[in-house]
Amino acid sequence: MRAFYLSPVGFEVGLTSIALGLVRALERQGLKVGFMKTIAQPLPFELGPERSTHFANKLFRLSPPTPIDFGRAEHLIGSGQTDQLMEEILGLYQQVSESSDVVVIEGMSADSKHVYAPQLNAHIARNLEAETIFVGSAAHSSLEDIAKQIEVAARQSTNAHNTRFAGFIISKVPEAIVPTDYTLTLSQLTPTAKARRLSLIGTVPFASAFAAPRTLDVANHLGALVLCNTRLAHARAVDMVVAARSARFMVSRLKAGALVIAPGDRDDVILATAMAAHRGVPLAGLLLTCNALPDPHIYHITQLDDKAPLPILITPLDTFATASRLAQMHNHVPADDVAQMEQVVDFVAEHLDVTRLIQKIGQPHEVHMPPPAFRYQLMTRARRANKRIVLPEGEEPRTIQAAAICHQKGIARCVLIGKADVIRKTAATLDIALPDDLDILDPDVIRSRYVAPLVQARHSKGLTESQAEVALEDTVVLGTMMLALDEVDGLVSGAIHTTANTVRPALQLIKTAPGASIVSSIFFMLMPDQVLVYGDCAVNPDPTAEELADIAIQSADSARAFGLEPRVAMISYSTGSSGSGSDVEKVRKATAMVKAARPDILVDGPMQYDAASVESVGQQKAPDSLVAGRANVFVFPDLNTGNTTYKAVQRSANVVSVGPMLQGLRKPVNDLSRGALVDDIVYTIALTAIQSEQMASVAAALAATEAGETVVSDALADAPA
């Protein structure tokens, strides 16, 4: 077990964000990561819970111990009881380390009130036998300054008899600076860094987007009265638009995230803001100053009432004082803004290279797959796959944004089916930057070239040309034909279409994959501490034993394709030989078939859900099973059981489910929930790209096998008698 102690070498380095970002980066590697903060350091404006442990609980479902109260820590240090303080910190550490592969420890931040923090950090790290990671900030320091700060901190650690250094991280790096400059500068300017071979773990750029407060935070900071709370807790003030001139000079800034600040008597500004909001521009809000409400006639015309499409605030401060007060807002993420902190932590993790840390830690005995790790693997594998995915609902706003994100991050090459002018207008309204190379296909322009192929594909059903033309007016059918003709690698739909509308064309036009006797589905259930696979919960009402075996094999292969080593539980109302009946016998027979056909799959059944999922119950009911209590793939005996279970878990435990992902088709087609968020669509696109890569690999292997068999057969035919 290893521990890493994060010690800041300057002021305002963003220590909490860096520490939790490191937790996320290590977690993505399948490690079981513990977290603790040694001593609480509440900020002057904080009244709620200690931020670091609070976010560790909310983001990672960890239960870190409560940090030692700052007042008590100061008392112990001031009274010469430092050893007592160390004992209490060691006690906290023991609580975390017992069940972790690695522990990330957030040290004390240094400021004018905590000048002793560097020495104390060195002392704590030595007592915990932790390796120190120095954290510096480039916000107000040059490369030379940071180098000197790390040198001083390293010497202080050495003087405290702590020479266990893991490396350093630099935060708030301006985009213009090349990250490798830090490595070169430090190796040249700091003898200790050079002697100890301190490695650069990461440079985290400054991201102004994360400093955007919610409109709710603006209201709290100003003590403003809320006239309309629409989107108050979700809208973010990306841009503060102070109406110092007439409306025509500010119209161009009325974009997504703009917070308009103006006195209540500025009728022109209020009218322009109201028009933008009613046209669908997601403004951060309207902040009225001087305690001045709009004229009643303006209020009525603009419909700026308690049901307005944007938050409305009012403050007694004048416009200048309001803008000045807002400029003084802190940029710390509030404790209740978990969504923002999630993005910050992911951003930090993406800029950390934990390769050397992993080498120190070693591989875990059993790789875990918590939801963040699963999502990270999705993104990484999708980038490598580099697939072309068609989105038939190309004019839908969430789909447009998801496509733009996928292009920008290299997740997939998306194809939007829809009118280009509609798509670009929607993107402009939502302030979405569409990549120049994003494919947009007009269905009216391309439809004709798919008529003949569709007639050919459905000739056995007697489809006529006119019927094909009508069918292709459905963009899902159009996209499915593109997939059938190998013009794209996968299809994602369902944001505005039903599951049936998405799945039916796939069943008709894509057909089953070679060797697949059935099309089934799985859901990825993103549980708090791991990802589970449920199948079949969407397609087959009452599969036979043979079909159930096929579903189990498909589900195991899908799990493996997405980074999970499958441990398959064949679910029933009894475990082992304790029960009887036709339903149990079906599951027992299917389990035997899976074992015979695929000895590489770890499978057991029949098994009750609690025996499959709870270790203590599994040991009691199936003590000899390698699956009981450890299952991560659950195969249900019928659709009634599977669908009911997945929805009960999803709703009762507030669990995110990704799917259904179809299995057994020649090419990937995946469905969305009509309530899907933009992130849900992005993940489904990534999932589809990976699935396409997997299917292509399987097809290539089958082709190679068939080719080899043909060569052997030909050789035997030509052999002399």
Side-chain angles (χ1 to χ4, degrees):
M1 209 284 298
R2 292 275 183 154
F4 297 112
Y5 192 97
L6 273 71
S7 180
V9 298
F11 301 146
E12 294 290 326
V13 301
L15 192 61
T16 296
S17 299
I18 297 296
L20 296 178
L22 181 59
V23 173
R24 174 61 48 83
L26 293 169
E27 185 188 57
R28 287 173 171 178
Q29 302 301 316
L31 293 161
K32 193 169 185 179
V33 187
F35 173 82
M36 63 173 285
K37 182 172 175 66
T38 54
I39 299 171
Q41 289 180 280
L43 298 168
F45 51 81
E46 279 187 337
L47 300 175
E50 197 282 318
R51 292 174 70 252
S52 299
T53 54
H54 168 74
F55 282 128
N57 175 264
K58 294 296 183 180
L59 299 180
F60 304 102
R61 302 297 179 98
L62 300 176
S63 299
T66 303
I68 295 171
D69 179 75
F70 175 73
R72 174 168 176 76
E74 269 201 325
H75 169 73
L76 291 173
I77 295 170
S79 59
Q81 301 183 69
T82 305
D83 287 345
Q84 174 64 31
L85 176 62
M86 290 300 126
E87 288 181 17
E88 293 183 14
I89 291 173
L90 278 166
L92 299 180
Y93 176 69
Q94 289 298 323
Q95 295 178 35
V96 182
S97 62
E98 291 176 355
S99 58
S100 304
D101 298 319
V102 59
V103 178
V104 174
I105 306 164
E106 181 183 336
M108 287 192 69
S109 297
D111 55 32
S112 58
K113 295 182 179 180
H114 312 121
V115 293
Y116 51 83
Q119 295 91 335
L120 186 58
N121 282 330
H123 195 38
I124 296 173
R126 179 177 65 82
N127 278 272
L128 298 181
E129 297 185 334
E131 296 185 56
T132 299
I133 297 174
F134 298 110
V135 183
S137 168
H140 306 292
S141 300
S142 65
L143 298 181
E144 291 78 9
D145 290 337
I146 295 172
K148 292 175 183 177
Q149 291 167 357
I150 292 179
E151 175 66 18
V152 170
R155 287 183 179 274
Q156 287 174 333
S157 292
T158 303
N159 293 337
H161 307 289
N162 176 37
T163 57
R164 297 164 64 95
F165 302 144
F168 63 96
I169 299 169
I170 309 299
S171 67
K172 303 180 182 181
V173 178
E175 294 182 356
I177 296 180
V178 181
T180 54
D181 289 349
Y182 288 108
T183 307
L184 296 172
T185 301
L186 285 165
S187 64
Q188 292 167 0
L189 299 181
T190 62
T192 304
K194 188 174 183 178
R196 301 294 179 188
R197 296 182 178 179
L198 284 182
S199 58
L200 176 64
I201 298 171
T203 56
V204 183
F206 175 76
S208 59
F210 296 135
R214 298 167 301 177
T215 309
L216 173 65
D217 303 324
V218 172
N220 291 337
H221 181 70
L222 297 175
L225 175 66
V226 179
L227 300 180
C228 178
N229 64 2
T230 304
R231 298 176 53 246
L232 184 69
H234 304 286
R236 295 192 181 276
V238 178
D239 184 22
M240 307 283 186
V241 182
V242 180
R245 303 176 71 183
S246 62
R248 65 189 179 95
F249 292 103
M250 57 162 282
V251 168
S252 61
R253 296 180 63 185
L254 293 177
K255 296 181 178 180
L259 176 66
V260 180
I261 305 169
D265 60 0
R266 288 294 303 274
D267 297 345
D268 59 333
V269 172
I270 293 171
L271 283 167
T273 303
M275 288 180 64
H278 284 293
R279 291 187 63 184
V281 179
L283 300 172
L286 174 63
L287 175 54
L288 301 174
T289 63
C290 306
N291 254 353
L293 290 170
D295 180 271
H297 295 92
I298 299 295
Y299 215 72
H300 176 72
I301 293 172
T302 58
Q303 297 180 340
L304 292 179
D305 51 27
D306 58 355
K307 297 181 181 179
L310 80 167
I312 304 175
L313 314 176
I314 185 168
T315 175
L317 300 172
D318 63 37
T319 303
F320 178 80
T322 299
S324 300
R325 185 78 65 85
L326 290 177
Q328 298 170 8
M329 281 188 71
H330 64 81
N331 58 3
H332 296 277
V333 180
D336 65 336
D337 196 356
V338 178
Q340 182 79 328
M341 197 62 181
E342 180 84 52
Q343 293 188 45
V344 171
V345 167
D346 279 341
F347 180 79
V348 172
E350 289 172 4
H351 291 86
L352 300 181
D353 182 2
V354 296
T355 305
R356 294 196 179 186
L357 301 185
I358 293 294
Q359 291 172 353
K360 293 173 180 288
I361 300 166
Q363 291 299 316
H365 297 296
E366 183 173 313
V367 175
H368 301 265
M369 185 62 78
F374 177 74
R375 293 193 293 264
Y376 176 74
Q377 293 290 345
L378 276 184
M379 300 298 115
T380 303
R381 293 175 181 230
R383 290 188 188 98
R384 288 201 299 263
N386 189 30
K387 296 298 182 178
R388 192 165 186 249
I389 307 299
V390 65
L391 308 175
E393 301 161 326
E395 297 176 1
E396 199 277 323
R398 293 165 295 167
T399 302
I400 296 170
Q401 190 170 352
I405 292 171
C406 287
H407 254 65
Q408 291 161 359
K409 295 187 175 183
I411 296 168
R413 294 173 285 123
C414 294
V415 180
L416 294 174
I417 298 180
K419 297 290 186 179
D421 57 341
V422 175
I423 293 171
R424 297 192 187 283
K425 185 178 180 180
T426 301
T429 299
L430 298 175
D431 203 22
I432 300 170
L434 290 181
D436 294 334
D437 58 344
L438 179 64
D439 282 344
I440 300 175
L441 301 180
D442 188 328
D444 294 337
V445 174
I446 66 171
R447 185 177 295 115
S448 60
R449 67 175 185 248
Y450 297 101
V451 173
L454 179 57
V455 170
Q456 176 63 31
R458 301 286 290 165
H459 73 277
S460 63
K461 302 296 182 180
L463 188 74
T464 64
E465 186 173 310
S466 59
Q467 290 172 330
E469 290 174 350
V470 173
L472 287 166
E473 291 179 0
D474 184 340
T475 55
V476 177
V477 176
L478 188 59
T480 307
M481 279 302 305
M482 294 175 64
L483 180 59
L485 297 174
D486 295 330
E487 296 177 0
V488 294
D489 302 300
L491 179 146
V492 173
S493 179
I496 55 178
H497 288 84
T498 65
T499 296
N501 290 143
T502 299
V503 173
R504 188 183 302 107
L507 295 173
Q508 295 173 341
L509 302 172
I510 303 301
K511 309 297 185 182
T512 58
S517 62
I518 192 172
V519 173
S520 65
S521 71
I522 59 170
F523 283 89
F524 292 97
M525 306 297 291
L526 307 192
M527 310 297 282
D529 57 350
Q530 64 177 322
V531 175
L532 303 178
V533 173
Y534 284 7
D536 177 4
C537 305
V539 179
N540 297 285
D542 189 17
T544 63
E546 292 78 10
E547 291 171 336
L548 196 61
D550 204 358
I551 292 169
I553 292 171
Q554 290 177 356
S555 301
D557 286 342
S558 293
R560 186 169 284 150
F562 291 91
L564 289 111
E565 187 57 37
R567 298 184 293 273
V568 183
M570 307 293 284
I571 301 301
S572 180
Y573 59 76
S574 72
T575 298
S577 58
S578 64
S580 60
S582 58
D583 291 337
V584 178
E585 290 304 318
K586 180 178 78 170
V587 175
R588 186 174 286 117
K589 183 179 178 182
T591 304
M593 289 178 173
V594 176
K595 290 180 177 179
R598 291 287 299 276
D600 61 304
I601 295 176
L602 191 60
V603 61
D604 202 356
M607 190 174 293
Q608 292 163 291
Y609 191 97
D610 59 348
S613 59
V614 182
E615 188 171 359
S616 59
V617 178
Q619 290 175 352
Q620 181 183 1
K621 293 187 175 183
D624 299 326
S625 174
L626 297 176
V627 173
R630 302 174 60 241
N632 55 9
V633 178
F634 295 74
V635 178
F636 297 98
D638 52 57
L639 185 60
N640 184 47
T641 306
N643 191 270
T644 301
T645 302
Y646 114 76
K647 286 185 176 178
V649 172
Q650 179 191 39
R651 300 300 180 185
S652 301
N654 195 28
V655 166
V656 174
S657 63
V658 180
M661 185 185 89
L662 296 185
Q663 308 173 128
L665 289 168
R666 282 194 310 112
K667 291 183 174 293
V669 172
N670 286 310
D671 185 39
L672 297 166
S673 165
R674 276 171 283 177
L677 303 175
V678 172
D679 284 349
D680 298 331
I681 301 174
V682 170
Y683 292 134
T684 304
I685 292 171
L687 181 150
T688 306
I690 299 167
Q691 199 179 10
S692 175
E693 181 77 0
Q694 180 198 22
M695 291 178 175
S697 298
V698 171
L702 287 172
T705 300
E706 291 173 358
E709 291 175 351
T710 300
V711 170
V712 171
S713 297
D714 291 345
L716 290 172
D718 294 338

